Amino acid sequence: MSQPVMGLVRQWIQADGGLWIGRCNYRIPYLDGRPGGLDALDQWLPETVLAPRITQTHRGL
């Protein structure tokens, strides 16, 4: 995939050598822009391709 997608890390395990691996659910969007996509469930991904979700917060003055 060439773009980040939103997903959910459901479990972490530590592999030999210290690398963390996350069990993830995410959706791979269709390339032609159709709604929906392929649901990838319970995929084990190395920590090097996972990033925390960036959220915006709005603060009152």
Side-chain angles (χ1 to χ4, degrees):
M1 292 191 302
S2 62
Q3 298 179 32
V5 296
M6 297 271 292
L8 176 66
V9 178
R10 303 187 59 200
Q11 180 181 359
W12 287 101
I13 61 170
Q14 192 170 25
D16 288 340
L19 178 71
W20 284 93
I21 301 171
R23 183 172 61 118
C24 306
N25 293 346
Y26 56 96
R27 178 171 284 178
I28 301 168
Y30 292 120
L31 292 175
D32 61 6
R34 286 182 284 165
L38 173 69
D39 289 327
L41 303 175
D42 294 328
Q43 302 296 303
W44 290 98
L45 301 173
E47 65 179 321
T48 55
V49 300
L50 301 174
R53 180 178 300 162
I54 298 172
T55 59
Q56 289 184 323
T57 59
H58 298 281
R59 297 181 186 198
L61 297 177

